Amino acid sequence: MPDSVTRAAAALWEAAASGIACPPVRPIIGESDVEAAYAVQERNTERRLAEGARLVGRKIGLTARSVQAQLGVSQPDYGMLFHDMDVANGGEVPAGRLIQPKIEAEIAFLIGRDLDDDRLTTADVLSAIAWAVPALEIVDSRVEGWNIRITDTIADNASSGLFVLGHEMRRLDAVDLLTCGMVLEGNGEPVSTGAGAACLGSPVNATLWLARVMARSGRPLRAGDIVLSGALGPMVPASPGTTYEARIEGLGSVRVGFGREDAQ
């Protein structure tokens, strides 16, 4: 393993462990070397698995064309979901658990069968998705001040943090994945809005991209995996003392709160 990958992985690992953000890692691995960035992510994934974490799914990031343009890329990225990133619907994230959290509403898919062929089609993905559920992704960055470019976020497990799944499960034929509207509220006030088509044209398109990439990478999606398919609207900073609730048309709602720092 190149020394640059080892050093970048160590910096991000220490930031996560200490709760103190580190400088960007792009000066170490390069600003455009996506392969090196995924090698960093894989290094820390293996370390997490070796320490007993369970891999339960994937998240898709950069599904909005505007965000891709901002970071100078033309496709999404992905990160790993582990069992201890799961927060109960209606639960609370303690103050200090994350470094600089933000939140966004998504449609999550629960995969019903293995997707282990990189020649997958849309039909394969549609038939493999068992359920769709409303979800919140709580993103975080181990990089100081969210000063990230594409290699920083990929190396940092696609800036993943935590996730919340709603309890209302729907079959795909019961939801219009393209036109379904979303509103995310903070303490009852709208803070983000969007629709299914904001996610790479459709959350299914994003999931097909992910399934093909994961099959090629040797970590294919398996039955039982969770897929966070991408944001339906702009992400917003997660403020202490605020409860966020997302409502997605045809899917229901999902909610999480953030503890106040003075309550510790």
Side-chain angles (χ1 to χ4, degrees):
M1 179 179 296
D3 178 65
S4 58
V5 170
T6 301
R7 288 191 292 121
L12 292 167
W13 185 272
E14 174 58 27
S18 67
I20 301 172
C22 65
V25 297
R26 59 184 181 272
I28 303 174
I29 59 174
E31 190 157 334
S32 60
D33 192 342
V34 169
E35 183 177 350
Y38 277 119
V40 173
Q41 183 187 129
E42 178 65 15
R43 171 71 182 87
N44 283 337
T45 294
E46 289 290 348
R47 189 168 178 181
R48 288 232 58 203
L49 295 174
E51 293 191 353
R54 176 183 164 223
L55 186 61
V56 298
R58 313 289 187 278
K59 62 151 289 183
I60 309 172
L62 308 183
T63 51
R65 299 298 188 190
S66 59
V67 178
Q68 289 180 10
Q70 180 183 356
L71 293 183
V73 296
S74 59
Q75 66 177 15
D77 68 353
Y78 66 82
M80 304 294 158
L81 301 179
F82 298 99
H83 76 283
D84 55 0
M85 296 165 63
D86 181 27
V87 177
N89 185 17
E92 182 175 279
V93 178
R97 179 167 180 184
L98 300 175
I99 299 174
Q100 42 194 349
K102 299 183 180 185
I103 191 166
E104 57 191 28
E106 307 194 6
I107 295 172
F109 295 129
L110 309 183
I111 303 301
R113 64 175 178 82
D114 293 355
L115 289 167
D116 52 7
D117 190 328
D118 64 1
R119 301 165 298 174
L120 293 163
T121 67
T122 300
D124 292 322
V125 170
L126 287 170
S127 64
I129 293 172
W131 302 100
V133 299
L136 293 168
E137 184 184 359
I138 304 166
V139 294
D140 195 19
S141 180
R142 272 58 62 176
V143 176
E144 293 172 346
W146 280 91
N147 178 15
I148 60 172
R149 300 297 292 171
I150 184 62
T151 51
D152 297 300
T153 186
I154 289 174
D156 190 23
N157 198 27
S159 302
S160 62
L162 306 170
F163 64 89
V164 190
L165 299 182
H167 295 168
E168 299 169 80
M169 304 192 301
R170 299 285 187 270
R171 299 291 188 184
L172 290 191
D173 60 4
V175 185
D176 186 336
L177 293 173
L178 274 67
T179 65
C180 61
M182 177 279 295
V183 59
L184 175 63
E185 297 178 345
N187 286 348
E189 297 294 326
V191 294
S192 180
T193 59
C199 178
L200 214 66
S202 165
V204 171
N205 296 343
T207 303
L208 174 59
W209 171 86
L210 175 73
R212 288 172 173 169
V213 169
M214 296 316 304
R216 289 195 296 269
S217 75
R219 289 194 185 277
L221 295 174
R222 299 293 186 189
D225 277 349
I226 303 159
V227 172
L228 298 181
S229 63
L232 303 183
M235 67 180 177
V236 296
S239 301
T242 303
T243 296
Y244 294 91
E245 183 169 11
R247 296 182 180 85
I248 302 175
E249 184 180 3
L251 274 177
S253 64
V254 57
R255 179 170 53 90
V256 72
F258 287 81
R260 293 185 180 275
E261 294 178 4
D262 57 11
Q264 287 185 301

